[in-house]
Amino acid sequence: MRLTNQLCAQHIGWHFKKHWLIQGKRVPRETGAAAELLRLAVQVRTPNDLLNPKGERRMLDFIGTGQIPISEDNGHLKSASTACHSYDDNSLLIGGLPQAQVLTNTIEVKTFPPKIEEAIANQKLPNGIDRNIRNAILSAHVLDAEQVKLPKVKLIERPAFNLPRNYGISHERINRLLVNRILHEIEKLAGRSLTVRRKLFDNALFRATLCKDSDQIGFAINANKLVCSHRAIDGVKLKFNGDLPDLYPMKCTISIPKKHVLNNGNFYPFRTEASCSHPHTVFSFFDTNLVNTHGSEVTISQFHARTMLKAFVVAAARAKHLHGASGGDLSKPIVVQSVQTDGRTFHFGVLQLNTLDISSKNTLKNFWFHRDSYELFSKCGYEAGRPHLENYNGEIFRILNAFYCSS
């Protein structure tokens, strides 16, 4: 039988609901106090007049009949800015690593410098270090308590289909927790004698402007984690011969759009007289699961190119900070190590900046030492209600330890 007001007439909840409705509609009695106050010339005001006072609007006279529309292309800034190719953290080279080589006048060497190769082969680590790194991976990927709405995931085959949104640990937090825990383990092994000569910084901004033939290119990147040293890394004195890739008919600046930038100069976040101002290692985070700006998945070559350009911009900003805005060959090369990760895949590289002249006519080239990417694990999550990690790769920690201890 359907419940009606007649059946619920004696229901206690219904009774109190109706009682409060009636009580809320009561009208206060007229006591004559307001009339007495008005007779004595006393102003009577309601609580709404005190809480929400009404402001008087002033009438202004404008010359003209309407407002001048603001241009959307920032045309009013063109007089104070210059149009140049702008590369930032959201940019991605469609040509991958070959395009980055031509853009920066850099030769690829598919191995690490000899000192780092020797350090990786000869280092001895304690037995419990792998267990600590496994715990660090689980703490970052599984055991953290943060639950936020994750970014949308798009399907290449079905671009208009909306997948349900997932909640979990944000990509930025996973990478930062993982890198911090690994660096903490490395510092414990290195000891105080080495850690006092290293400084860690978060979100350091670097900016550099260079000329490539007839094009002006402005680089602006953010180092998610930066390791600085009291002493610069020594350059590799060996000679490497090689040719730059041929991109014809594509130009090296094809995927770098032109923008009007006001501050297209150079910026280095530390003073020259600072005791720990030499760039040592750059850590950058990148989500390879997202679709890039060209509507396709991020390739391995594009991922490697991003690692290289991070180190190049930091080294170029440091060179201009030391030698001024004029570009040319450097008397002493600047070496910057670069590490990029998406939480599981790690890519390592070392850039040696020999010249700021990146034109195609310059015979002196820069060097980029790197290996292929490494997978830290194959699976990390919950299995049968317990945290589970499969195929842990301990080689990544050994490379990071060699990078941190290099000088």
Side-chain angles (χ1 to χ4, degrees):
M1 182 180 294
R2 186 172 64 89
L3 294 179
T4 61
N5 290 338
Q6 294 297 329
L7 293 176
C8 296
Q10 303 301 325
H11 190 267
I12 189 69
W14 181 88
H15 174 74
F16 276 105
K17 184 188 297 186
K18 295 298 181 182
H19 176 71
W20 280 105
L21 285 176
I22 296 172
Q23 294 295 324
K25 295 180 181 179
R26 290 195 306 174
V27 179
R29 295 179 181 178
E30 181 62 38
T31 61
E36 185 66 20
L37 291 175
L38 292 176
R39 188 182 65 82
L40 299 175
V42 177
Q43 185 181 5
V44 179
R45 303 180 64 183
T46 63
N48 291 331
D49 296 337
L50 299 176
L51 297 177
N52 301 318
K54 296 182 179 180
E56 296 182 0
R57 293 186 177 182
R58 297 178 57 188
M59 298 300 293
L60 301 178
D61 295 331
F62 294 95
I63 300 176
T65 58
Q67 296 181 356
I68 300 176
I70 300 176
S71 177
E72 296 182 357
D73 59 352
N74 294 330
H76 58 289
L77 299 177
K78 292 183 179 180
S79 59
S81 63
T82 56
C84 67
H85 295 276
S86 299
Y87 179 90
D88 54 17
D89 290 330
N90 298 324
S91 303
L92 200 66
L93 299 183
I94 192 172
L97 187 59
Q99 182 181 353
Q101 290 181 242
V102 178
L103 182 66
T104 59
N105 194 25
T106 303
I107 297 175
E108 179 188 12
V109 182
K110 295 185 177 181
T111 182
F112 292 143
K115 288 185 178 180
I116 296 181
E117 292 283 359
E118 183 180 357
I120 295 173
N122 298 333
Q123 63 181 326
K124 296 180 180 180
L125 301 177
N127 297 329
I129 192 65
D130 288 336
R131 183 183 68 253
N132 295 341
I133 300 302
R134 287 192 182 95
N135 294 335
I137 296 172
L138 292 174
S139 298
H141 284 267
V142 179
L143 302 178
D144 193 72
E146 185 187 51
Q147 290 291 311
V148 297
K149 186 182 290 186
L150 301 180
K152 288 185 178 180
V153 179
K154 290 293 185 181
L155 299 177
I156 304 299
E157 298 80 6
R158 305 175 65 184
F161 183 73
N162 290 326
L163 293 174
R165 298 294 291 271
N166 295 325
Y167 284 81
I169 310 172
S170 62
H171 181 265
E172 173 74 16
R173 185 171 177 83
I174 289 176
N175 289 280
R176 195 167 296 279
L177 289 175
L178 181 61
V179 170
N180 288 343
R181 287 289 297 272
I182 293 177
L183 287 176
H184 179 64
E185 296 295 333
I186 293 174
E187 288 178 340
K188 290 194 299 184
L189 295 176
R192 180 173 174 78
S193 60
L194 180 61
T195 56
V196 295
R197 291 178 288 162
R198 302 282 190 270
K199 300 295 181 184
L200 304 179
F201 300 93
D202 290 334
N203 299 325
L205 178 64
F206 297 89
R207 190 184 298 118
T209 303
L210 298 174
C211 290
K212 176 69 175 179
D213 298 334
S214 60
D215 297 324
Q216 188 176 11
I217 308 173
F219 299 92
I221 61 102
N222 177 47
N224 299 102
K225 196 78 175 182
L226 178 66
V227 181
C228 290
S229 175
H230 281 247
R231 183 174 175 270
I233 302 176
D234 296 332
V236 180
K237 298 181 180 179
L238 301 177
K239 293 185 178 180
F240 300 92
N241 297 322
D243 297 328
L244 297 179
D246 186 12
L247 301 179
Y248 182 84
M250 185 176 68
K251 197 175 181 181
C252 63
T253 57
I254 185 173
S255 57
I256 307 177
K258 274 191 174 183
K259 297 179 182 179
H260 283 270
V261 183
L262 286 174
N263 297 324
N264 57 350
N266 308 298
F267 177 75
Y268 189 74
F270 308 107
R271 299 191 305 270
T272 308
E273 61 272 12
S275 60
C276 194
S277 61
H278 299 281
H280 189 273
T281 306
V282 180
F283 289 87
S284 54
F285 309 147
F286 186 63
D287 191 358
T288 56
N289 295 324
L290 299 180
V291 178
N292 62 21
T293 56
H294 309 289
S296 60
E297 294 182 353
V298 178
T299 63
I300 298 177
S301 182
Q302 293 172 351
F303 185 73
H304 292 179
R306 196 170 184 271
T307 311
M308 173 185 164
L309 284 177
K310 286 276 186 175
F312 176 80
V313 176
V314 174
R318 176 61 175 174
K320 287 183 172 291
H321 182 247
L322 293 176
H323 307 292
S326 60
D329 300 342
L330 303 179
S331 57
K332 183 179 180 181
I334 297 177
V335 180
V336 177
Q337 301 173 151
S338 181
V339 181
Q340 185 176 202
T341 178
D342 64 348
R344 186 176 71 174
T345 304
F346 279 79
H347 182 229
F348 304 91
V350 180
L351 181 94
Q352 179 169 317
L353 185 69
N354 299 316
T355 177
L356 286 173
D357 185 7
I358 59 176
S359 61
S360 57
K361 298 180 181 179
N362 190 7
T363 57
L364 182 62
K365 310 296 182 183
N366 302 315
F367 301 146
W368 170 243
F369 306 88
H370 78 113
R371 290 184 185 176
D372 291 334
S373 304
Y374 290 87
E375 297 290 331
L376 184 60
F377 54 85
S378 61
K379 183 179 179 181
C380 182
Y382 284 101
E383 187 171 309
R386 301 180 63 181
H388 180 69
L389 179 66
E390 287 185 3
N391 299 328
Y392 162 71
N393 186 7
E395 185 68 15
I396 292 178
F397 179 81
R398 287 157 177 79
I399 298 175
L400 283 172
N401 188 36
F403 270 40
Y404 185 86
C405 298
S406 64
S407 60

